[in-house]
Every structure is written in C-alpha cells, then in structure tokens.
Amino acid sequence: MQAIDVVQRNAGRRNFALCGSCFWSATILHEGEVSCPMCAKGVSLIPLARDEGYRLKISPASGVEISFSRA
C-alpha cells in the first residue's frame, strides 16, 4: 500500500471533522450537526482559520498523522 499525503487549504468558513469512533475525517464547509458516513456516529468539528490548513498523512507503517499549520 502506498502512502497518501493530502494538503487542504481553502478560503471561507471551514471545520476539520473527525469521528472519535472510526477516525474518519474530512473538511466540512458549514457548521451544524454532522454524522460520520462510515459508522453513523457524531463527529467533532474543529474550526479552521482562513489561513490555517492541515496535512493528513496516511501510511501503512505509521498510520494516520495530522498536523495543522498557518500559511
């Protein structure tokens, strides 16, 4: 399996969504109640500033790594 490296940066109101049960994650472009599409449980929303982005790195060796940074 090859490592996947995703960088997400956008303008506008964004939240980083993370499911505490199955660790599904996504960028959500609105606020409000969101259910995980994988396990149907609620997710935590972490607000992202306009100049804030995140790097999501997934690899078989180290698992999931998330880092937040400012542009």
Side-chain angles (χ1 to χ4, degrees), residues 29-67:
L29 300 176
H30 61 82
E31 291 183 26
E33 203 166 308
V34 179
S35 293
C36 175
M38 301 302 286
C39 69
K41 299 198 177 184
V43 300
S44 298
L45 297 179
I46 302 166
L48 296 171
R50 290 187 90 112
D51 63 345
E52 190 173 24
Y54 64 87
R55 181 174 297 267
L56 180 64
K57 186 174 182 181
I58 305 168
S59 74
S62 60
V64 178
E65 296 176 33
I66 304 170
S67 58

Side-chain angles (χ1 to χ4, degrees), residues 8-14 27-29 48-52:
Q8 178 67 45
R9 293 191 192 279
N10 270 343
R13 183 172 222 147
R14 302 172 301 129
T27 299
I28 304 293
L29 300 176
L48 296 171
R50 290 187 90 112
D51 63 345
E52 190 173 24

Side-chain angles (χ1 to χ4, degrees), residues 8-23:
Q8 178 67 45
R9 293 191 192 279
N10 270 343
R13 183 172 222 147
R14 302 172 301 129
N15 292 282
F16 177 75
L18 180 63
C19 177
S21 295
C22 71
F23 301 109

